[in-house]
Amino acid sequence: MVAPAYFAQPTTTRERLIAAAFRVVARDGLEAASVKVIAAEADITPGLLHYHFPGKAALLEAVLREALANYLEASARRREASPPERQLADYFKTSRASLEAERDFFKVRLAFAAAALTNPSLAEVLRDLNDASARETALTLAAARGETDPTPRDVEIGRLLKAAIDGIMLSWLADPAFPIDAAADDIEKAVRAWIA
């Protein structure tokens, strides 16, 4: 299991719980990730878990929100450091470089997405996370034109790209032989065509 760097060095009890929840879901799946198992993984009592989070759903939401916050921060840094003519190339280069490191995060996020299909409160959280991720992509598309404000078309492409990447990641996670590099090439070509 490869944990994203932002879950690797937890210092507070809350951070330890978030990192433990990530590891348990990535390793054992969402159904097996009980409060008791997560607390044991964090080496704390279940009561202490409930002190920080009202339940498993809130803890899993914190895992996803923490990962999203880190993604948004890293993306903003990349966007600010890249000139307009390098925005798309740097976006895709960074995305490709993070594939293996983020493999388990995609497992956790997609497990959460599957659970959201039958749980309205989880669906609302997932919608918020997807919107934030799509907006970040839209900001990159605007930056590629030397602009700061995304157009409605940028937002539309950001949402489409988010959905396409989710499908590609699901295929890759389910089948290690899936041609992830070819899919990444095709997505990059498609985005360049969409914004041309």
Side-chain angles (χ1 to χ4, degrees):
M1 178 175 48
V2 179
Y6 42 86
F7 290 134
Q9 300 292 326
T11 55
T12 68
T13 301
R14 185 178 191 285
E15 289 171 350
R16 283 177 38 217
L17 285 165
I18 290 171
F22 174 85
R23 288 190 306 271
V24 169
V25 174
R27 182 185 65 227
D28 304 331
L30 194 59
E31 292 302 317
S34 68
V35 167
K36 184 177 177 181
V37 171
I38 293 169
E41 180 79 17
D43 198 26
I44 65 163
T45 65
L48 191 53
L49 184 148
H50 286 294
Y51 175 78
H52 290 278
F53 299 97
K56 176 179 154 179
L59 175 54
L60 293 175
E61 179 181 341
V63 170
L64 295 173
R65 289 196 185 278
E66 180 71 21
L68 177 67
N70 280 278
Y71 163 74
L72 295 175
E73 182 181 314
S75 185
R77 282 194 311 269
R78 178 204 34 81
R79 202 173 57 252
E80 291 166 6
S82 298
E85 65 275 5
R86 292 283 318 153
Q87 284 293 330
L88 291 178
D90 290 349
Y91 171 84
F92 283 104
K93 180 181 177 183
T94 302
S95 297
R96 283 186 172 110
S98 69
L99 279 175
E100 196 57 45
E102 297 291 329
R103 176 189 286 264
D104 285 331
F105 173 69
F106 274 100
K107 283 171 58 178
V108 171
R109 196 176 62 69
L110 291 170
F112 188 85
L117 292 173
T118 57
N119 183 326
S121 65
L122 294 180
E124 184 177 331
V125 172
L126 187 64
R127 209 167 23 254
D128 290 347
L129 298 173
N130 286 344
D131 286 349
S133 180
R135 172 125 176 104
E136 182 58 34
T137 299
L139 287 167
T140 296
L141 297 175
R145 293 188 309 275
E147 299 172 8
T148 56
D149 295 323
T151 65
R153 177 73 173 145
D154 293 334
V155 174
E156 178 184 320
I157 292 170
R159 288 177 188 216
L160 179 60
L161 186 56
K162 172 78 176 74
I165 289 172
D166 282 355
I168 289 169
M169 294 308 292
L170 182 59
S171 296
W172 182 53
L173 291 170
D175 177 9
F178 181 81
I180 191 73
D181 291 327
D185 289 342
D186 289 341
I187 287 290
E188 183 172 356
K189 288 175 191 170
V191 169
R192 290 182 183 281
W194 290 336
I195 65 169

